[in-house]
Structure formats: structure tokens, C-alpha cells
Amino acid sequence: MSRFYITTPIYYVNAKPHLGHAYTTIVADSVARFHRISGEEAFFLTGTDEHGDKIMQAAEAAGKTPKEFVDDISGTFQNLWPKLNIQNSDFIRTTQPRHIKTVQKVLQQVYDNGDIYQSEYEGLYCYGCEQFLTEKDLVDGKCPDHDKEPEVIREKNYFFRMSKYQDWLKKHIEDNPDFIRPERYRNEVLSMLDMGVLDDLCISRPKTRLSWGIELPFDTDYVTYVWFDALLNYITALDWPEGEKFDQFWPSANHLVAKDILKPHAIFWPTMLKAAGFEPYQHLNVHGYWLVKDTKMSKSIGNVVDPLSMVGTYGQDAFRYFLLREMRFGRDASFSEDALVGRLNADLANDLGNLFSRVLSMTHKYFGGEVPTPSRKHESVDLEVLQLAIDSFKNYQQLFGAFEFGRGIESLWELVRGLNKYVDSTQPWALFKNGETERLGDVMYVLLMLMRKIALHIWPVMPTTAETMLEQLGQGADFDPAAVNIKDEVETFGRLEPGLHLAKASNLFPRVDLKKKQEEDAVKAEKQAAKKQKKQDKAAKAAKAEPKDGIIDFADFQNVDMRVGTVVSCQPHPDADRLLLVKVDLGEDEPRQVVAGLAEYFSPDDLVGRQVVVVANLAPRKLRGQVSQGMILAAKTDGGMQLLTVSGATGNGTKVS
Ligand code: MSP
């Protein structure tokens, strides 16, 4: 059996997954499924990249230990994938022992071969990039990606002799024209190589500066540079050096990345492989960026597209279809809900959904819902549509295999639209009316058997839709892609048993009225805003009201939002002896910082792990330069202080009333 290996980048865990991560992973899933339904065994790897400065900094900002932090966000990625119907074969994390073992083994191997050496280095270091930059990389003296001046750092480090492999790499790329594809990225890499001699790659970081990484096996004062660590995930998951998987899958390794990480994949990785004595991967497949209104997605602009919300509104398959259909692989593309709905209504609801529902209901009306037996006396209109089907399946398979998904899908839709025309021109209703039963059976059979083949071909892109179609075509509920091979489906006529009982009706893709949806969303948003305003007004009124004789109304009490939380970290206030900076998890996205006057009574260690009660809706204020977002309740006793707490373990964020 032929085998196929596809990987996504392993994603950084310093931010939650967004449209870009979803796209690459959906493409990889579709490619893996395409190979599975083409009679191959496909191994599909994704995972998370968990070492390095960026992750350390993000963990600190969230008030978590690096381990807690990476477990949390890696979990967000792992939980998202089933919601997009991703069927990965493995999920790798660079903090797993299996990976640490591989990295150390490869490092030792390259070191023993003499391709790693130690040297003093002074350079411009950008903490955002986790890289030394050259003057050439800077714009106005700043790192263009992070808009910050790099710092001059002088230190001893270990270097990988990458320069030694420059000529080999250039020749390999020239001899294998589709090693890096599409061509524009191959050309980009060749021009990088032509621009000058490759520098050797600094592959270590002194532990004094960064400890969150994999120790060098030959010098425990250092950890491994994050890219040298991360790239090796692709062989860790194949159980290198043990087991059979490496020999089985490595020869067909296909990496999938966006243009942002072209250089590490096209230059660092093949030279690392060469130095360690491995064959290069088979293909590097590089796609462009999803933009939103022609702008890069960014948290600060607030235009980051959340894949879950798209799937929640439009469904997994419409989302997957849109992403694969709309982006020309290799180029940037623009994401908009308008465009998604446009495709959903035109391609899915109109062209495909309508056709399928018409064909099913006609079969019910004319043949009691059973697949008719064809006479196979074909008229020219049949032969034309059968030829169209052959061309369309052939092109689809060739284009999909070459990562040209948009064009591949388009050629399948030529058939879908061709079949709609076929219905219009053969007019089954007229044949029925005239009692031409044999001809009617032939026409319906052509339609039904091609619907089955269309379902098989769209399975990689829209698995649920394809499975529903197959089920409605009487193909059994448990569809097994390994039992079919679309390569055998191109020229074959039939393959749909006459007499099979079909579903009565189908509604694969209900049309979406975007205008109506937007109006409904606007009304909902307005209602929510009004409710919020009312609450704020009430709170403001209550704040003004003077308590009479020390008595307050119940409503006033209700305005105080008290919640149970757990102290996740605590440290002394840098500028005030009596204050502590306490981070409390209130079940929100991030723990809150509360500045508390508890330092005289508690040490930070006394507080970590304890449950406390926090006034959560107190307006934030600064105490000696540190923001406090709430107040921890405590009772002052003679010479002491007692914390208010709960009598048993209580979920963080639980309201006190
Ligand atoms: N951890 C590294 C990769 C190491 S692989 C050995 C990394 N991680 S990342 O979280 O930043 O992911 C980058 C990848 O996410 C891109 O290469 C691409 O696959 C995907 N995308 C992120 N933003 C994207 C868009 N706006 N559009 C399309 N894909 C993008 O780099």
C-alpha cells in the first residue's frame, strides 16, 4: 500500500487558535483524507510548539507557570480540531519526553559529526523573534515585525554549520523543481541562497537567559534554540529512530506551512536533515495569508476571525469548503462573511444541494424511491455528461494532488452545474408524463450514480455532507473511505446497485439570508447594550444613594458582585512593604491582579492555592503603580487578619449571594 505523510506547523501556544491555524489544519486534513480515499495510508500530524522566550513571557503575563500555561493553550488547540472535523493521526507537543529524546539524539549526532561548534557571538537580538538579526533585517533601526530596537548581546553559543550545506541545498532545489511549491516560493528561496553565503545558525541559548527549553546533551548550561527543537517534531512523531513508521512515511513527507515560516522550513530544516544523515522531505507546500479587508489579522485591530464562531453559524462543511475554494494556494486571500455566504448560497445551496434534492425527490416520484435498472442505451446528451464527469474527476484528482484545491473544486463544480443542465434538457417530468419509463430510468440512473461519485470526491473537503449524501443514496450509514478508491471511480459506469432504497428528501445546505442575519444580530447587540446600560445606571444610582441609619437596600447589596476565586500566584509589591500582588483565578480568561494589604499577615506562599472571596466589580485602581482589579475580603482581628473563604472546594467564579 502506498503511504503519505502530511504535517502542519506546530502552533505556538502564546495565543488562541484563529482562522489562519484553522485553514492550514483544514487543508492538511483534506489532503490526508484525499490520500485515504485514493487507496493510500495517510499519516497526518499536527501539534503545538511549547518552548522559547515568547511562551515564557506569555505564561508570566497570565500569572501561570510555563507548564500550566502550555497545558492550557495546547488543550485549546486539541479541543478545537474535532469541532472542525479534523482527523489527525497524532498530536505532538514539544514538551513531551519522546520529543526531548529525539532532539537530544539528533543534536548529539550532528555534534559528533563535527557540524556543531562553540563560538563567541555578538549580535543584535530581537526578543520578539527569538533571533539574532542583521542590519539588513532592520527598518529604521528596528525589527520590522516587532517595531522594537534589538538589543546588543554578546555571549558564547553553539552554532550549526549551515553554510557548509548551501551548495548542496541549492543543487537539490534546482534538481527537484517541486521540492518547494508553488514556484514563487521556490524562487524566493533560490534568491535568498543567491544573495550571499548562508550564515551558520546559532542553535543554543544560555540558561542564564532562558531556561524553558531542551537542554543541549553536550553542554547542560544551554538550552536548544526553539526552531532547531521545533522542526524535529516532524521526525519525532514517526518514532525515529525506533519503529517502522519512519521508513514507511518519511519518503513521502509533505510539509504544509504559510509564507511566514518559509526560511526555517526551506533552509534550516533541509540542511539540518542533511547534517543528521536523513533524506530531505519530499515537498514543502507553502500557502499565503488570510487577510481581513486586506489587512493582517491582529488582536489590537480586533479583526481576528474565530473559527468556532464561523462553524457555529454556518456549519463545519460550508466553512471548510469556503476556505479551500476561495484561496488560490500560494496567494493571499481575503476573508469575509459576505463572501462565505455568497459561496454557501451559490455553490452549496443552489448548485449542489438543489440538484441532489431534485434527484432524490424525482426518484421517489417516478420509481418509488428505488434506484432504477439502467438499460445503458445512451443518447448523445448522456454521453456528453458522462465525458464531462470523466474530465471533471480526472482534473479534480490531478489538481487536488498538486495542492491546487480551488481549481480542483471548480472542476468538480463544472460537473455539478453540468448535471443541473442535464436535468433541464432531459426533462424527466416530461418522460414520466409520456410514459417513457426506460429512458426515464436511464436518465435517473446517470444522475444517481454520478451523485455518488460526486459525494466520494467531495468527502476530503466536506466529510459530513459527503457521508450524508452517501447515506441518503442507500450506501449504508458507516462510510469507510478505505473501502473505496476514487482512482477507480473516474471511468467506471455504475457502482450504484439498482433497487437500493433512497432517502425521500434532502436539505444539505439551507440558504442563508445574510441581510436578515445581520439585522437579527444588530437587534441582539442593541438589546444587550441596553441591558448593560440599565445595569450600569442602576449601579451608578446605588452608588449615589446614601445609606439611611447604616441600613442599605437589598438592591444595593445586590450591586456588589462577590465571587470565589483561587490564588494562583502571589508576590510582594515592588514599591510597598505592606502590599502583596495577588493573582486570583475567577474563572475568567486570565487571572486578575488584586493589590491587597496583607503582607504583614501572610507570606506569598501562605496564599497560593487558597480560595478567597473577591469583590469583583470594584472599579480598577492603581495602588503604588500597580493596577488592582478587585478586593480580597478579610476580617481584621486583634493583631491579626483572617481571610474570608468557603467551607468546601468551590468552582472559581462562583457568585457569593
Ligand atoms: N511554532 C511555529 C512553527 C513551528 S513548525 C516546526 C509557528 N507557529 S505559529 O503559531 O505562529 O503558526 C504559524 C502558522 O499558522 C503559519 O505558517 C500558518 O500555517 C498559520 N497561520 C497563521 N496566521 C495565518 C494567516 N493569517 N493566514 C493563513 N495561515 C496563517 O510559526
Side-chain angles (χ1 to χ4, degrees):
M1 188 186 234
S2 120
R3 294 194 170 87
F4 184 79
Y5 181 34
I6 179 92
T7 68
T8 71
I10 45 170
Y11 303 113
Y12 285 131
V13 289
N14 56 348
K16 288 191 177 151
H18 61 57
L19 171 69
H21 309 116
Y23 173 73
T24 313
T25 315
I26 288 172
V27 170
D29 182 66
S30 299
V31 170
R33 287 174 186 267
F34 173 76
H35 283 267
R36 286 181 191 137
I37 203 166
S38 302
E40 292 172 57
E41 188 183 350
F43 191 85
F44 162 24
L45 178 69
T46 187
T48 42
D49 188 354
E50 305 185 0
H51 289 128
D53 291 304
K54 272 189 214 170
I55 314 292
M56 272 282 269
Q57 285 157 7
E60 266 166 30
K64 290 192 176 163
T65 65
K67 168 89 176 74
E68 281 167 353
F69 183 76
V70 298
D71 283 352
D72 193 20
I73 308 238
S74 178
T76 320
F77 278 92
Q78 290 177 63
N79 293 336
L80 171 66
W81 301 142
K83 294 179 185 133
L84 304 180
N85 213 348
I86 302 295
Q87 280 184 341
N88 47 308
S89 318
D90 195 352
F91 188 96
I92 189 155
R93 303 181 54 186
T94 52
T95 47
Q96 288 168 335
R98 60 173 173 161
H99 181 64
I100 296 168
K101 211 170 92 193
T102 302
V103 172
Q104 292 184 328
K105 210 165 161 81
V106 170
L107 278 166
Q108 190 67 51
Q109 203 155 303
V110 179
Y111 184 74
D112 292 345
N113 291 346
D115 279 343
I116 290 177
Y117 63 92
Q118 198 184 30
S119 167
E120 181 94 34
Y121 185 78
E122 185 181 278
L124 300 166
Y125 190 79
C126 170
Y127 280 89
C129 301
E130 301 186 12
Q131 283 206 60
F132 284 102
L133 303 179
T134 62
E135 293 287 351
K136 270 190 286 178
D137 297 322
L138 307 183
V139 175
D140 298 332
K142 290 181 177 173
C143 162
D145 289 340
H146 296 93
D147 197 30
K148 263 193 191 156
E149 279 181 26
E151 286 179 34
V152 179
I153 288 189
R154 187 181 176 79
E155 62 191 19
K156 266 196 170 162
N157 264 314
Y158 286 89
F159 289 82
F160 162 50
R161 266 183 231 286
M162 195 157 73
S163 55
K164 182 173 152 187
Y165 297 100
Q166 156 142 353
D167 293 343
W168 166 81
L169 178 61
K170 191 158 179 259
K171 184 160 185 321
H172 187 78
I173 298 174
E174 280 164 353
D175 291 349
N176 298 276
D178 56 3
F179 180 59
I180 300 166
R181 58 188 182 185
E183 203 183 352
R184 57 202 326 240
Y185 296 109
R186 171 180 187 262
N187 294 339
E188 204 173 299
V189 174
L190 282 175
S191 70
M192 280 183 214
L193 292 173
D194 282 340
M195 253 156 56
V197 183
L198 276 189
D199 287 329
D200 285 347
L201 183 67
C202 178
I203 54 145
S204 64
R205 299 287 178 262
K207 273 194 192 163
T208 43
R209 187 148 64 75
L210 172 75
S211 56
W212 184 241
I214 300 178
E215 219 170 57
L216 294 185
F218 40 82
D219 190 338
T220 53
D221 289 339
Y222 291 85
V223 294
T224 312
Y225 166 48
V226 66
W227 272 105
F228 202 97
D229 156 355
L231 288 159
L232 288 164
N233 88 85
Y234 300 135
I235 65 166
T236 302
L238 296 183
D239 299 338
W240 179 83
E242 292 122 16
E244 300 171 332
K245 263 200 245 147
F246 186 78
D247 291 340
Q248 289 174 338
F249 288 101
W250 185 249
S252 63
N254 267 265
H255 299 307
L256 181 64
V257 298
K259 60 184 186 179
D260 56 334
I261 48 177
L262 178 63
K263 189 173 172 188
H265 281 84
I267 295 184
F268 302 176
W269 183 220
T271 54
M272 281 166 64
L273 286 164
K274 181 76 181 160
F278 300 113
E279 286 299 313
Y281 51 77
Q282 193 186 18
H283 295 296
L284 177 64
N285 306 284
V286 189
H287 64 77
Y289 250 47
W290 278 102
L291 306 174
V292 173
K293 294 210 178 92
D294 295 328
T295 315
K296 228 176 146 174
M297 278 186 287
S298 108
K299 241 181 167 177
S300 51
I301 304 179
N303 62 350
V304 179
V305 178
D306 173 12
L308 268 186
S309 101
M310 290 301 125
V311 166
T313 314
Y314 302 109
Q316 273 172 6
D317 280 358
F319 182 59
R320 291 173 63 115
Y321 175 85
F322 174 75
L323 295 184
L324 269 102
R325 173 68 186 83
E326 192 76 4
M327 181 178 260
R328 195 159 147 214
F329 194 83
R331 304 286 174 120
D332 290 349
S334 228
F335 184 89
S336 77
E337 258 181 278
D338 279 9
L340 195 163
V341 170
R343 289 245 172 247
L344 199 170
N345 285 341
D347 302 7
L348 300 179
N350 252 6
D351 293 347
L352 178 67
N354 257 351
L355 171 68
F356 191 56
S357 107
R358 273 167 103 188
V359 172
L360 285 187
S361 64
M362 286 192 291
T363 315
H364 266 269
K365 202 157 164 199
Y366 310 144
F367 293 100
E370 278 181 13
V371 178
T373 309
S375 78
R376 302 194 59 166
K377 287 182 205 147
H378 293 145
E379 296 188 1
S380 67
V381 60
D382 308 335
L383 295 174
E384 267 167 37
V385 87
L386 290 171
Q387 187 55 47
L388 175 65
I390 293 174
D391 295 342
S392 145
F393 295 142
K394 225 188 241 165
N395 289 338
Y396 172 85
Q397 292 184 24
Q398 190 265 325
L399 291 164
F400 216 94
F403 283 66
E404 298 212 35
F405 312 107
R407 287 178 58 208
I409 292 173
E410 180 50 29
S411 58
L412 202 59
W413 251 251
E414 278 168 23
L415 174 62
V416 172
R417 289 191 286 263
L419 287 178
N420 272 312
K421 281 196 199 124
Y422 177 74
V423 173
D424 295 342
S425 64
T426 52
Q427 303 199 341
W429 48 92
L431 298 172
F432 179 67
K433 208 167 145 198
N434 300 337
E436 295 179 53
T437 315
E438 185 181 273
R439 175 73 192 133
L440 179 61
D442 282 341
V443 167
M444 292 313 301
Y445 190 81
V446 164
L447 286 165
L448 287 166
M449 74 107 181
L450 288 178
M451 291 309 320
R452 173 182 160 279
K453 287 179 191 282
I454 289 172
L456 295 177
H457 280 82
I458 60 164
W459 183 74
V461 182
M462 298 192 285
T464 311
T465 303
E467 285 162 22
T468 308
M469 286 174 74
L470 291 167
E471 204 185 323
Q472 294 182 332
L473 286 167
Q475 301 288 285
D478 303 317
F479 171 65
D480 176 11
V484 274
N485 182 344
I486 51 173
K487 286 190 193 138
D488 299 337
E489 297 284 347
V490 177
E491 311 232 359
T492 42
F493 183 88
R495 302 263 171 125
L496 186 71
E497 274 297 287
L500 274 179
H501 201 80
L502 311 184
K504 213 168 189 159
S506 176
N507 187 11
L508 297 174
F509 296 99
R511 281 184 71 86
V512 173
D513 185 340
L514 190 61
K515 222 170 150 202
K516 201 168 141 210
K517 185 186 166 287
Q518 281 167 344
E519 280 164 12
E520 282 167 5
D521 286 353
V523 171
K524 244 191 246 165
E526 232 169 73
K527 271 191 189 155
Q528 260 166 3
K531 217 167 143 188
K532 201 170 157 197
Q533 188 61 47
K534 212 168 151 192
K535 219 171 151 190
Q536 278 171 352
D537 291 349
K538 211 170 142 192
K541 210 170 137 197
K544 270 193 216 143
E546 295 273 319
K548 293 181 208 87
D549 309 324
I551 303 289
I552 60 166
D553 285 340
F554 182 63
D556 294 337
F557 167 70
Q558 264 195 322
N559 284 331
V560 185
D561 183 16
M562 286 184 286
R563 298 195 179 254
V564 178
T566 304
V567 177
V568 289
S569 68
C570 181
Q571 63 192 78
H573 190 297
D575 299 316
D577 293 345
R578 294 168 59 177
L579 300 180
L580 290 177
L581 305 180
V582 190
K583 290 248 165 80
V584 187
D585 181 352
L586 287 178
E588 299 164 323
D589 282 350
E590 284 174 11
R592 294 211 195 178
Q593 170 165 287
V594 176
V595 181
L598 298 173
E600 282 174 74
Y601 312 100
F602 298 95
S603 76
D605 282 351
D606 294 335
L607 294 181
V608 174
R610 289 181 79 149
Q611 290 216 288
V612 290
V613 177
V614 174
V615 177
N617 62 343
L618 210 55
R621 59 181 182 143
K622 269 196 174 173
L623 290 169
R624 295 280 185 100
Q626 293 286 336
V627 179
S628 184
Q629 300 170 291
M631 188 169 88
I632 294 176
L633 295 184
K636 187 129 198 311
T637 58
D638 279 346
M641 183 77 95
Q642 297 294 335
L643 288 174
L644 253 74
T645 185
V646 277
S647 57
T650 305
N652 291 333
T654 306
K655 207 169 156 48
V656 177
S657 52

